[in-house]
Amino acid sequence: MSREFLPICREDMVKRGWKQVDFVYVTGDAYVDHPSFGHAIISRLLESRGYKIGMIPQPDWRRKESIMEYGEPRLGFLVSAGNMDSMVNHYSVSRKRRKKDAYTPGGVMGKRPDYACAVYGNLIRQVYKNVPIILGGIEASLRRLAHYDYWSDKLKRSILLDSAADIISYGMGERSIIEIAEALDAHIAVQDLTYIDGTVVKMTDAEAVYDKLLLPSFEELREDKKRYAKSFYTQYCNTDPFSGKRLVEKYSEHVYVVQNPPSKPLTQMEMDDIYALPYTRTYHPSYEKAGGIPALSEVKFSLISSRGCFGACNFCALTFHQGRIIQARSHESLVMEAEKLTEEKDFKGYIHDVGGPTADFRHPSCQKQLRTGTCKNRQCLFPTPCKNLNANHKDYIQLLKKLRNIPKVKKVFIRSGIRFDYVLAEKDRTFLKELCEYHISGQLKVAPEHVSDAVLDRMGKPKNKVYREFCREYKEMNRQLKKEQYLVPYLMSSHPGSSLKEAVELAEYCRDLGYMPEQVQDFYPTPSTISTCMYYTGVDPRTGENVYVPKSPHEKAMQRALIQYRNPENYELVYEALKKAGRTDLIGFEKHCLILPRRRKKAETDIKHAGKKKKIRNMHRKKESI
């Protein structure tokens, strides 16, 4: 394999002396040959096995000709919406169209369709009636069975049916895509590929599926939200590659969607091999004139050290996509990649991140996971750390030391986030010391998300007292090191379980902290999370309990405004929220109050406007005198 870009057009294919490609890869992202982009990993992996890949990045979905660039591929089409779900990419939580797309040349919006996997799949099927279509990536992975779609506000079918595709390779996909490719290359019909782990397929006879759990039919799920909550939790409890059952979802008398168990975790050697593939580590040169791909700048000087997360926050879909079992690269692999980074002409001496979904998770949470899998009904960290948890940062500390000792490296940052409860679960505080001394610069971002224990329970996060203990220890460690460094908490508004009462509690926390966040994350109901299931059904799928869900845009705006109560633009929303919550004690002149009374506020506003008018009049007078 050579370190050059894969073909993006027929001319490139001909230059390589190819008459036909084995797979055409259609992606909603621009072509970036970097291991932080899913299409780069899958295409390079297939190339390493001898397959010819032709890339079609961001085709014009309004023209059939756009996916006919290479003609009919020998084995099939690979289809991905890109590194993000296309709807999250296009719309904010308030369902407003975003202005920029970081995965498109120059950040231009509108180069991919809504529901990209379904649109691309149907476009291909119109032209190529019998060619296998394999879906992959985050959009297909998290929509693999019946799912709530926030943007249409309804339950949608498996994307396998809506896209006219033959098979979904879900999760990270390296194992399943090779098995699919080898089977197709051996002339096995795509309809017969019903057995591969990490895939979702269509079948006509549920009796042919062994070791299965039969989920309620799509019609039953659509009619009964509580039944959907139970079905979703069955899916959640079968996301483990060792213990997961085959799940069967009925759509009609002769159409069943079957989810095979997840693929087994990659070994360290397999991880190393994947990240050692000959990536060019940049975007295709054809994008240079448009200004390049903004998303690359966020990851260009970062290192992916691990996959998976046993934190299992309820608003995160990682359990469904990467799983709870940690897979990590070796020190040698990461040091080698870091040394390559130092050779880049625009490297300034800073490695921006070393991590994964959670930076300080470098090994499975306990010994049994690689033998029998994760526990079905027990979380590793929630509500308290499991007694079998192996809370140990030694490997990560050693890795960070090796990286910061590389010539030309000035500093190694940790930006992908740490779990403060996991840090506290380890008796030794060496990692906290190393973190404060070497790996942050002025501030550390952490994610307590909320301060109300009732809301934290719905989030799957530790109680607030755990975060307060971490704050105390972080402050003390910096005092010992004679460093002035701060914590920046990520906070979330309007999560299921949060009423105005809990939102006011969060506002009071910000007041006591003397901190007003510039940005607040309003809960975003993305596919395949426990929190999204709560949002849609009003039920906690873990317990069956009813959950309060703030859904009206106005209440969500009030909850968000409370966190940013100091912003003058939020005054009316905060005033209304405090009245509705019965907390008018927080409107006044006392130190504990969030806002001033309405009359005083109006007077201040009038004075402010009068001052502006006076300035404008003075400016006009000066101009006239000139």
Side-chain angles (χ1 to χ4, degrees):
M1 291 185 295
S2 61
R3 198 177 294 275
E4 60 178 324
F5 290 96
L6 297 172
I8 64 164
C9 61
R10 176 175 288 275
E11 185 182 349
D12 289 349
M13 180 181 77
V14 172
K15 282 180 180 177
R16 289 193 172 211
W18 299 350
K19 293 183 179 179
Q20 185 184 30
V21 295
D22 296 318
F23 288 102
V24 173
Y25 199 132
V26 178
T27 173
D29 286 344
Y31 178 28
V32 183
D33 190 29
H34 187 283
S36 290
F37 292 74
H39 61 251
I41 288 181
I42 296 300
S43 60
R44 286 297 186 185
L45 181 62
L46 286 167
E47 181 196 34
S48 73
R49 299 299 195 273
Y51 296 102
K52 299 180 180 72
I53 315 299
M55 307 295 292
I56 302 184
Q58 299 187 317
D60 183 350
W61 69 94
R62 292 154 294 217
R63 296 173 53 252
K64 295 178 184 178
E65 294 78 11
S66 65
I67 49 89
M68 298 168 65
E69 184 69 31
Y70 304 97
E72 184 173 318
R74 185 173 72 90
L75 298 177
F77 278 89
L78 308 176
V79 177
S80 168
N83 263 22
M84 294 174 67
D85 185 293
S86 58
M87 300 305 285
V88 178
N89 179 281
H90 285 172
Y91 299 97
S92 69
V93 66
S94 59
R95 297 190 178 98
K96 291 180 181 177
R97 187 82 169 178
R98 298 189 196 274
K99 294 179 179 178
K100 292 187 177 181
D101 180 350
Y103 295 90
T104 295
V108 174
M109 176 56 77
K111 294 295 184 180
R112 84 186 82 210
D114 288 354
Y115 304 109
C117 277
V119 173
Y120 291 151
N122 282 286
L123 183 68
I124 294 164
R125 188 58 75 211
Q126 286 177 43
V127 181
Y128 302 103
K129 304 298 182 185
N130 300 310
V131 174
I133 299 174
I134 301 103
L135 299 186
I138 194 95
E139 180 167 291
S141 185
L142 300 183
R143 296 173 180 265
R144 57 188 186 254
L145 292 176
H147 57 281
Y148 171 68
D149 180 71
Y150 172 68
W151 302 272
S152 61
D153 193 27
K154 66 180 183 181
L155 199 68
K156 298 195 78 162
R157 305 191 304 170
S158 165
I159 198 170
L160 187 63
L161 303 179
D162 288 342
S163 64
D166 296 289
I167 189 167
I168 296 173
S169 168
Y170 73 85
M172 298 303 283
E174 289 98 345
R175 289 196 187 283
S176 57
I177 200 63
I178 293 300
E179 201 166 345
I180 291 168
E182 289 175 348
L184 293 174
D185 201 18
H187 305 292
I188 299 174
V190 70
Q191 293 80 11
D192 295 331
L193 302 184
T194 60
Y195 54 86
I196 298 173
D197 284 352
T199 64
V200 176
V201 297
K202 290 176 284 191
M203 295 184 69
T204 57
D205 181 12
E207 294 302 315
V209 184
Y210 65 95
D211 192 26
K212 66 177 179 287
L213 287 174
L214 193 62
L215 301 175
S217 71
F218 180 69
E219 285 304 316
E220 290 173 319
L221 296 176
R222 198 158 56 175
E223 290 170 6
D224 187 344
K225 288 184 177 181
K226 288 191 175 181
R227 185 170 286 177
Y228 173 74
K230 289 181 180 178
S231 178
F232 178 84
Y233 196 58
T234 299
Q235 295 176 48
Y236 186 85
C237 293
N238 285 275
T239 52
D240 182 79
F242 294 92
S243 62
K245 304 287 186 184
R246 285 175 173 78
L247 304 179
V248 179
E249 198 168 68
K250 181 180 177 181
Y251 284 85
S252 71
E253 287 303 316
H254 301 293
V255 177
Y256 296 87
V257 172
V258 180
Q259 175 186 298
N260 289 304
S263 297
K264 297 295 186 294
L266 297 178
T267 64
Q268 187 173 88
M269 183 179 291
E270 288 170 327
M271 284 277 283
D272 287 355
D273 287 346
I274 284 166
Y275 286 90
L277 291 169
Y279 308 100
T280 60
R281 302 189 65 84
T282 188
Y283 50 76
H284 194 275
S286 62
Y287 305 138
E288 196 66 53
K289 287 183 180 178
I293 310 301
L296 179 63
S297 62
E298 295 296 316
V299 296
K300 186 173 183 180
F301 297 114
S302 297
L303 301 172
I304 298 171
S305 70
S306 62
R307 289 181 183 173
C309 182
F310 52 77
C313 300
N314 289 340
F315 48 80
C316 177
L318 273 164
T319 296
F320 270 71
H321 190 61
Q322 291 190 2
R324 290 168 55 193
I325 298 176
I326 303 300
Q327 302 147 77
R329 294 167 62 187
S330 70
H331 291 192
E332 292 75 17
S333 170
L334 288 157
V335 168
M336 190 181 301
E337 185 177 355
E339 288 173 343
K340 288 179 183 176
L341 294 184
T342 65
E343 296 168 8
E344 296 280 348
K345 62 181 180 181
D346 50 346
F347 181 71
K348 306 296 185 185
Y350 301 100
I351 294 177
H352 297 160
D353 191 24
V354 182
T358 301
D360 53 332
F361 290 177
R362 279 280 299 167
H363 52 76
S365 64
C366 70
Q367 292 299 314
K368 82 173 191 69
Q369 284 192 350
L370 292 178
R371 300 193 310 272
T372 59
T374 56
C375 301
K376 280 195 175 185
N377 300 311
R378 178 76 171 92
Q379 299 290 350
C380 303
L381 286 168
F382 176 82
T384 57
C386 175
K387 64 180 181 180
N388 297 318
L389 178 70
N390 177 19
N392 190 321
H393 289 83
K394 287 182 180 177
D395 175 77
Y396 194 41
I397 291 169
Q398 291 169 3
L399 170 63
L400 293 170
K401 283 182 178 178
K402 290 176 183 177
L403 292 172
R404 67 178 185 252
N405 286 332
I406 294 173
K408 298 183 184 178
V409 171
K410 297 176 183 177
K411 194 167 181 99
V412 178
F413 291 103
I414 300 172
R415 288 181 177 169
S416 55
I418 61 166
R419 281 290 296 237
F420 55 82
D421 49 345
Y422 184 65
V423 173
L424 296 181
E426 185 178 22
K427 292 180 180 178
D428 191 330
R429 291 292 182 263
T430 303
F431 173 68
L432 183 59
K433 181 178 182 295
E434 292 271 313
L435 177 69
C436 294
E437 190 166 6
Y438 297 110
H439 300 292
I440 58 178
S441 181
Q443 56 187 34
L444 174 68
K445 295 178 180 177
V446 287
E449 306 294 357
H450 214 281
V451 296
S452 165
D453 285 344
V455 179
L456 290 168
D457 180 69
R458 301 302 183 194
M459 291 178 164
K461 299 285 284 185
K463 292 186 181 298
N464 181 240
K465 67 179 183 181
V466 180
Y467 177 64
R468 291 200 306 269
E469 173 60 21
F470 179 77
C471 291
R472 189 191 66 77
E473 293 206 20
Y474 177 80
K475 184 177 181 181
E476 174 59 22
M477 183 61 72
N478 279 293
R479 188 192 66 77
Q480 292 177 20
L481 295 170
K482 295 185 169 107
K483 284 181 172 281
E484 190 173 337
Q485 300 186 130
Y486 303 94
L487 285 175
V488 177
Y490 283 127
L491 302 172
M492 185 184 293
S493 64
S494 304
H495 187 277
S498 175
S499 67
L500 285 176
K501 173 180 174 292
E502 286 77 24
V504 171
E505 192 177 335
L506 188 54
E508 290 185 286
Y509 166 76
C510 293
R511 174 201 65 200
D512 297 341
L513 195 64
Y515 166 74
M516 189 184 81
E518 291 181 11
Q519 291 183 324
V520 176
Q521 177 60 57
D522 201 354
F523 168 65
Y524 204 154
T526 55
S528 294
T529 73
I530 286 181
S531 298
T532 298
C533 182
M534 289 185 209
Y535 178 89
Y536 171 59
T537 64
V539 170
D540 189 330
R542 302 169 299 175
T543 63
E545 297 172 345
N546 291 332
V547 179
Y548 175 79
V549 179
K551 282 194 173 182
S552 81
H554 189 64
E555 181 180 350
K556 289 162 74 73
M558 284 193 290
Q559 290 208 23
R560 189 167 56 249
L562 278 165
I563 302 176
Q564 297 176 310
Y565 67 89
R566 290 183 185 175
N567 185 340
E569 294 177 5
N570 291 335
Y571 180 85
E572 293 300 330
L573 283 169
V574 175
Y575 187 90
E576 182 184 355
L578 293 175
K579 288 200 74 173
K580 284 192 173 183
R583 293 301 307 274
T584 54
D585 59 300
L586 296 176
I587 303 171
F589 303 101
E590 291 83 2
K591 190 176 179 181
H592 72 280
C593 291
L594 300 181
I595 57 174
L596 297 170
R598 205 185 276 273
R599 285 184 181 176
R600 171 70 176 273
K601 181 67 184 175
K602 186 176 184 303
E604 285 190 349
T605 304
D606 289 344
I607 292 169
K608 189 176 180 181
H609 287 322
K612 284 184 178 179
K613 287 179 181 178
K614 188 176 180 180
K615 282 183 181 178
I616 292 169
R617 283 198 302 270
N618 289 338
M619 284 173 62
H620 285 310
R621 284 170 185 165
K622 284 181 181 178
K623 286 180 181 178
E624 288 171 3
S625 64
I626 291 170

